[in-house]
Amino acid sequence: IYNIFDFATPQDMMADGVIQDVSMFRSLLATKLKENKVSTKKVLFVLNSARIATREVEIPAVKDKQIKEMITMNASDYFPVDLEQYQIVHEVLDRIEVDGDKKIKVSVIAVPKDLIRSYELLANACKLQLVGLDYTGNAIKQLMIQEIPGEIKATVKVDENMTLLTIMDGNEVKLQRIINYGIAEAIEEIQDSEIFGEYMSFSQAMDIARRRTCISIRSDGTLEEQRPLNPDEHSIDAERINILRGNVTMALSSLISSLSRVIDYYQSRNPEKPIEKIFLIGMGADFSGLSKLLTAELNYKVIPLQ
């Protein structure tokens, strides 16, 4: 990476991952590229949408050139949707033997064609040359190979409205699951409380969550230590703070229970290869106290990777 910058996505630009309006984004991007002296016209988009479906399947051992044909033939069994509306791609995870039969474990991904088309239109609108599309799950795999230590690697990428759990054995993805919960409801609790100000935007509330612990360490709403959010908050009602912490924690309960079920599923099928620790990435890594809450509730050491 030679240069990196970010800016807020314009409001109402996207709906469930599909780009709706490019006008403001196009203007912002042109300005930022100029400010940061980026002149390349080539672009690669990494897609992140709850509408992207993934499945891990086992198929009979066939030649590499026959894998795509076999997956296409059985795709309707993997995804009970109108496959005319989806692009199907795959990645070989492992070659295994089950009861004497040789099989291939494959990750199959179904990407809505309208999602792909919207990014093609975005590239055209911004006068950029689209050289490829990738999927967040693969980007995380590359990150883990380079940055996450240990033979059994696990990351949880917690974003606004979705979470992606990835478990790897060496350089092979053993499990990757999308969970349709993120931190949005927890952030909305901070907004609705009005403790830190009225009419607070999502980004302002997220900034509060970064700087101040608005989470109870235990899911029942109790704190290991009852203490103010910071020394200058004597003017904020302690009872309201504790109520907020309980509400924020409760808003994360569906995310935590879903993560727990998927991790237990993996561990039950791979008891000989236990997960030792989980790295927290994405927006959740900046959410003060979330790693401690996950550590307490999942019974695994959860480490924020910022």
Side-chain angles (χ1 to χ4, degrees):
I1 295 174
Y2 296 96
N3 201 335
I4 184 169
F5 61 90
D6 62 17
F7 56 92
T9 304
Q11 191 171 359
D12 301 325
M13 176 186 170
M14 307 181 77
D16 202 9
V18 178
I19 297 163
Q20 307 292 314
D21 180 10
V22 304
S23 55
M24 188 175 293
F25 178 87
R26 177 176 56 201
S27 175
L28 279 169
L29 179 63
T31 300
K32 294 295 182 180
L33 288 172
K34 187 175 181 179
E35 288 177 357
N36 288 276
K37 298 180 174 59
V38 176
S39 59
T40 182
K41 296 299 181 184
K42 295 181 180 180
V43 63
L44 185 148
F45 293 119
V46 181
L47 309 187
N48 184 26
S49 170
R51 294 178 61 210
I52 298 175
T54 63
R55 296 287 185 275
E56 288 174 16
V57 300
E58 293 176 3
I59 62 173
V62 295
K63 294 181 179 178
D64 287 350
K65 63 182 180 181
Q66 296 175 303
I67 294 176
K68 182 178 180 180
E69 179 184 351
M70 181 162 287
I71 288 172
T72 302
M73 190 168 55
N74 295 288
S76 58
D77 295 333
Y78 310 147
F79 307 105
V81 295
D82 179 7
L83 292 175
E84 290 294 320
Q85 307 300 318
Y86 286 79
Q87 178 77 37
I88 306 296
V89 294
H90 73 274
E91 179 184 16
V92 174
L93 299 178
D94 201 3
R95 298 179 185 273
I96 59 177
E97 191 167 313
V98 180
D99 298 328
D101 293 331
K102 291 183 178 180
K103 293 184 177 292
I104 302 174
K105 184 183 288 188
V106 183
S107 173
V108 186
I109 303 172
V111 186
K113 289 181 178 178
D114 64 335
L115 184 64
I116 295 172
R117 181 58 180 158
S118 74
Y119 277 89
E120 291 173 343
L121 293 172
L122 176 64
N124 287 336
C126 295
K127 298 181 179 179
L128 298 172
Q129 178 191 348
L130 181 60
V131 297
L133 295 170
D134 203 351
Y135 166 55
T136 303
N138 185 52
I140 291 174
K141 173 185 174 181
Q142 306 306 324
L143 167 75
M144 293 173 68
I145 289 173
Q146 298 180 52
E147 301 292 339
I148 304 298
E151 189 65 20
I152 304 300
K153 313 167 190 282
T155 62
V156 173
K157 185 176 188 290
V158 181
D159 287 320
E160 189 173 339
N161 293 303
M162 63 179 283
T163 294
L164 187 60
L165 169 68
T166 306
I167 301 173
M168 297 181 66
D169 182 354
N171 290 344
E172 293 182 3
V173 175
K174 290 299 183 182
L175 181 144
Q176 193 163 67
R177 289 285 187 277
I178 291 175
I179 295 168
N180 291 322
Y181 298 104
I183 60 169
E185 290 186 14
I187 296 298
E188 286 166 8
E189 289 290 347
I190 297 175
Q191 290 175 283
D192 294 343
S193 74
E194 298 188 347
I195 290 177
F196 306 104
E198 297 180 358
Y199 312 115
M200 184 175 285
S201 68
F202 187 93
S203 60
Q204 288 172 325
M206 183 63 206
D207 189 50
I208 293 292
R210 287 189 181 98
R211 295 184 290 109
R212 310 165 186 253
T213 302
C214 298
I215 291 178
S216 298
I217 301 305
R218 301 296 179 187
S219 61
D220 61 3
T222 60
L223 290 167
E224 290 182 343
E225 295 181 38
Q226 294 286 347
R227 59 188 180 191
L229 297 180
N230 68 37
D232 64 0
E233 287 188 343
H234 57 274
S235 61
I236 297 180
D237 189 332
E239 183 177 351
R240 289 179 66 199
I241 292 173
N242 286 334
I243 291 172
L244 170 63
R245 282 172 162 160
N247 291 342
V248 169
T249 304
M250 189 58 65
L252 295 164
S253 60
S254 294
L255 165 62
I256 293 170
S257 60
S258 297
L259 272 175
S260 181
R261 283 195 298 272
V262 178
I263 293 170
D264 288 348
Y265 166 79
Y266 166 81
Q267 216 55 104
S268 67
R269 293 173 65 100
N270 300 273
E272 76 287 355
K273 294 185 175 181
I275 299 169
E276 294 184 359
K277 53 191 171 184
I278 299 170
F279 286 86
L280 178 63
I281 61 177
M283 293 175 72
D286 289 336
F287 201 128
S288 178
L290 182 56
S291 61
K292 290 183 180 179
L293 178 65
L294 292 174
T295 295
E297 295 301 314
L298 300 177
N299 294 316
Y300 291 92
K301 179 65 175 176
V302 178
I303 303 167
L305 185 67
Q306 296 166 319

